[in-house]
Structure formats: C-alpha cells, structure tokens
Amino acid sequence: MDSEVRKRTIVAAGEGRAVHLRAGERVSVVDIEGGQVGDVFAFSADDLGEYVSAAHTRTSIGRLFPRIGEAFMTNRRRPMLTLVGDTSPGHHDMLIAACDAERYRSLGNPEHASCAENLHNALGLLGLSVDTVPQPVNVFMRIPVAPNGDLTWLPATSAPGDAVTFEVEIDCVFVVSACPMDLNAINGGRPTALGVNVSAPLSVEMEK
C-alpha cells in the first residue's frame, strides 16, 4: 500500500525546488504531464559537501542505473537514497551533466535557464549554497548507449502521473529541477512541471 503523502511540492516547468527530508521518509518525483526530465540532486543535511554521486553509485552497483532495492551512494560511499518504486517505462540516466549557462551558450542561447542555475536558486531559497554542481540523477531521461559508445538524446517516454520513488537513508536536502531544455528532444521540445511528494516513514504508517 502506498504511504500517505504528507507534503506536495510543484516544480514549475524550467524551475527547481528543494525540500528537507528525514531518514525513513519516502519521496516521489512525479511527471505530471508526461515526457519531462527531472534533474535530481541530494545533499547530506549535516554537510552539503556530501552528496549523491553518480560515479560512486555506478561503482557500487555495477550498472548504469540502480534497480529497485538498490541505493544511490554518496561521494563518501554511504547510501543516501534507495530506489523503491518506478511506474515509468524505466528510462533514466546518470551519464549526462546538468545543463548550464555554458551548455546553452554553445547552443546559441546564453540567457537560457538551466538545471545548474535551478540548483543554486532552489538551495538559496533555503538559505543554503554549494560551490559545485554534482552529476545529477536524471529521472525519465532517455539516453541510450550504442554498442560503439555513441549517445543519443531521445524524448522521455514517461506518461502523465508516472513516478520514481526513493526511500531516504540519510537526512538530506533533496533538489529537483524540471529541466528547461527545449533545444534538443529530451523534453519533447516543451518543458513541463514535475511534482515532489513526500510520504511519512513506513514505521509511522504501520502504527496508524
């Protein structure tokens, strides 16, 4: 049975939002309209210098992306989030860097909003800041790897209401950027909003 949602946050198209999470809670990133990529970041609540690391996660699990029940590791090799649910077709990415001003400058649009900027802005709303932008967990992003190593940017196949759910292992600051990219195919040329739903810890639910 799904846990009761205790907090809902809408991440407007092309923007970012951050929420504080406690160990044991569950958090879902929901594709509201379908076909929208979300850049997910997570930082230890005790030290923002510890964060979910795509490289350390790949090393730990021996895959490009975790299976259900496997954990996303921090840069200090501790589990921070465990993947516990996915109602989407399962296309996600941990290879592609967050879009930033330089990326859009190379595409001829230097004033374009970016996931890197969204991360800084979202943390700023909580009075927080970081010096670097970690490699994000790109939920719903479809970047197949060809046998020759080539990458292809394809439209997300997530349907309206599809969600990816994580269980929180360490108190953290969880950030989602509804990727503003509209200069390639990943968001179908039209970025849309995402939802962030936070549920009570399972132990709390079982006591009700």
Side-chain angles (χ1 to χ4, degrees):
M1 183 180 352
D2 294 336
S3 299
E4 179 182 351
V5 175
R6 56 191 289 192
K7 180 179 180 181
R8 289 186 172 90
T9 301
I10 299 299
V11 185
E15 298 184 7
R17 292 291 183 272
V19 295
H20 288 286
L21 299 176
R22 301 192 65 178
E25 291 182 321
R26 291 193 171 196
V27 59
S28 297
V29 180
V30 183
D31 191 351
I32 295 173
E33 296 186 36
Q36 173 62 42
V37 169
D39 285 36
V40 174
F41 308 87
F43 301 84
S44 169
D46 294 329
D47 180 359
L48 298 185
E50 182 176 14
Y51 49 82
V52 162
S53 165
H56 291 82
T57 299
R58 292 194 303 268
T59 300
S60 175
I61 63 175
R63 291 172 48 80
L64 289 175
F65 199 87
R67 296 185 177 97
I68 299 294
E70 293 181 329
F72 295 83
M73 308 298 288
T74 75
N75 56 320
R76 297 176 188 167
R77 299 187 186 275
R78 295 199 298 164
M80 182 173 282
L81 302 170
T82 296
L83 184 65
V84 295
D86 184 4
T87 62
S88 79
H91 300 299
H92 310 291
D93 167 76
M94 289 200 304
L95 295 176
I96 304 303
C99 57
D100 54 24
E102 188 57 38
R103 168 70 164 150
Y104 288 110
R105 187 173 293 111
S106 71
L107 295 173
N109 196 337
E111 303 303 319
H112 201 287
S114 71
C115 287
E117 180 184 20
N118 287 345
L119 169 64
H120 291 303
N121 290 343
L123 289 175
L125 292 174
L126 299 182
L128 303 171
S129 65
V130 293
D131 293 328
T132 61
V133 177
Q135 161 70 53
V137 174
N138 296 310
V139 296
F140 311 126
M141 190 171 184
R142 189 159 59 120
I143 307 289
V145 181
N148 67 356
D150 285 352
L151 302 177
T152 306
W153 277 251
L154 298 179
T157 57
S158 44
D162 278 349
V164 177
T165 302
F166 309 92
E167 184 162 336
V168 181
E169 306 294 344
I170 300 171
D171 291 0
C172 67
V173 181
F174 186 83
V175 185
V176 176
S177 171
C179 181
M181 174 57 77
D182 55 4
L183 303 179
N184 65 26
I186 62 168
N187 295 312
R190 188 181 71 89
T192 55
L194 295 172
V196 178
N197 294 343
V198 180
S199 301
L202 288 183
S203 58
V204 174
E205 289 297 311
M206 292 173 65
E207 292 171 1
K208 290 184 178 181

